[in-house]
Amino acid sequence: MDTPQGHQENADQIAYWNGPGGQRWADRQAAQDILLKPIADLLIDRAKPKTGERVIDVGCGSGATTIAFGHKVAPSGHVFGIDVSGPMLERARQTAPKELPVDFALADATVYPFDPASFDLLASRFGVMFFADPALSFSNLRKALRPSGRLAFACWREPKENPFFMAPLQAVYKHVPKLPPQGPEDPGPFAFASEARVNRILGAAGFAGIAMEPCHLTLDVALGRGLEAAVQAAFEIGPASRALEGHPPETRAAATNSVREVLATFAKGDTVPLPASIWIVTARAG
């Protein structure tokens, strides 16, 4: 499978998303689309895509948001999904309806040569937090927008606002050392949690009218399939899974019991809704 050429500072992310990590996300595509649909719906509502518009979906992954935007802008519009992950884009190409006006590129949005001033909307669901130099990346993306173009993306708020991530992770930390702390400028899930940082990055990239809306929701990690399904999901992706990498089976078993105990406190019937909090960030091309 091809690996995209990209900005040298994004090399680690490109390697990760084209290795076993990216494949795990691709394999979980169907479940992730269900789990994160409330967030995709919020993003699309705030982005306000219209029939006939041209959209860039940054970090489109397995294509759920690209397809959703495609339905909104069809038949005369177009959605361009871009991602560095070969495994996830392969899944996107398999699942996108042939009649939808969407296509995909395996590429790094930091350096991709977009047609200048040719898009109406730049959107992303969690695809922009992994840039090593986000001001540079957003500057390249802004050049692809028309003067009237706009930006809308979803990103996670700080860890303490997100038991969705932290409840399983804190349970695992009873048994293994903590992961290395993420620096405030490092790529990762919480890289855009800071309002000040997001405003600084987008301002440096030439965006104006920046607004950040906090959105609180609950995400059912069990997908209606009960507590054991929630426990399994906690170890398939996310920081709890990373914290356990390389540890022996007995440690994993003990950590699994602790995660089960924690998730049981959130369980409601066959669902396990965990609190989550995101920003919906909007801006205009400037």
Side-chain angles (χ1 to χ4, degrees):
M1 182 175 291
D2 292 338
T3 299
Q5 297 298 309
H7 192 276
Q8 61 183 11
E9 292 184 12
N10 293 330
D12 288 347
Q13 290 293 328
I14 291 171
Y16 173 83
W17 291 105
N18 285 282
Q23 188 61 56
R24 280 197 301 272
W25 281 89
D27 291 343
R28 268 189 59 86
Q29 173 257 329
Q32 285 299 106
D33 288 354
I34 297 169
L35 178 65
L36 299 180
K37 187 176 186 300
I39 293 168
D41 290 345
L42 269 174
L43 173 63
I44 291 167
D45 178 76
R46 303 308 193 265
K48 297 178 172 56
K50 304 176 186 68
T51 301
E53 288 193 322
R54 289 172 49 82
V55 182
I56 302 174
D57 186 9
V58 183
C60 65
S62 295
T65 47
T66 311
I67 292 166
F69 278 113
H71 284 294
K72 295 292 186 181
V73 303
S76 53
H78 180 262
V79 186
F80 182 68
I82 183 169
D83 202 288
V84 298
S85 176
M88 296 181 78
L89 280 186
E90 184 177 354
R91 185 61 58 92
R93 292 186 174 110
Q94 291 169 355
T95 56
K98 301 304 181 191
E99 70 276 8
L100 270 190
V102 303
D103 60 57
F104 300 95
L106 179 64
D108 180 356
T110 305
V111 296
Y112 186 82
F114 296 101
D115 291 336
S118 61
F119 289 89
D120 303 287
L121 173 64
L122 171 62
S124 180
R125 184 195 65 186
F126 303 139
V128 298
M129 298 103 63
F130 301 101
F131 295 133
D133 186 342
L136 178 67
S137 304
F138 273 107
S139 180
N140 187 51
L141 287 160
R142 183 187 58 79
K143 293 172 186 174
L145 288 173
R146 306 185 203 277
S148 60
R150 61 199 191 279
L151 165 70
F153 66 83
C155 59
W156 297 107
R157 298 181 72 216
E158 57 190 2
K160 70 179 182 180
E161 300 282 350
N162 278 288
F164 171 71
F165 284 106
M166 301 309 294
L169 182 61
Q170 295 299 337
V172 168
Y173 280 164
K174 296 177 181 178
H175 306 277
V176 301
K178 292 186 176 182
L179 292 166
Q182 181 183 328
E185 302 288 322
D186 292 344
F190 301 109
F192 277 27
S194 164
E195 284 185 88
R197 183 171 191 244
V198 172
N199 276 275
R200 173 167 53 83
I201 289 167
L202 294 182
F207 287 92
I210 302 161
M212 298 180 66
E213 176 191 359
C215 299
H216 305 282
L217 45 132
T218 56
L219 301 175
D220 175 22
V221 291
L223 302 182
R225 296 184 288 120
L227 179 60
E228 291 308 311
V231 174
Q232 179 181 348
F235 289 110
E236 287 184 348
I237 54 172
S241 172
R242 291 199 303 277
L244 274 176
E245 286 179 359
H247 288 279
E250 57 270 23
T251 303
R252 295 185 66 89
T256 298
N257 287 333
S258 293
V259 169
R260 183 181 292 109
E261 290 173 4
V262 167
L263 293 183
T265 65
F266 293 94
K268 296 179 180 179
D270 288 332
T271 69
V272 183
L274 295 182
S277 189
I278 64 169
W279 295 114
I280 297 290
V281 182
T282 54
R284 61 179 187 273

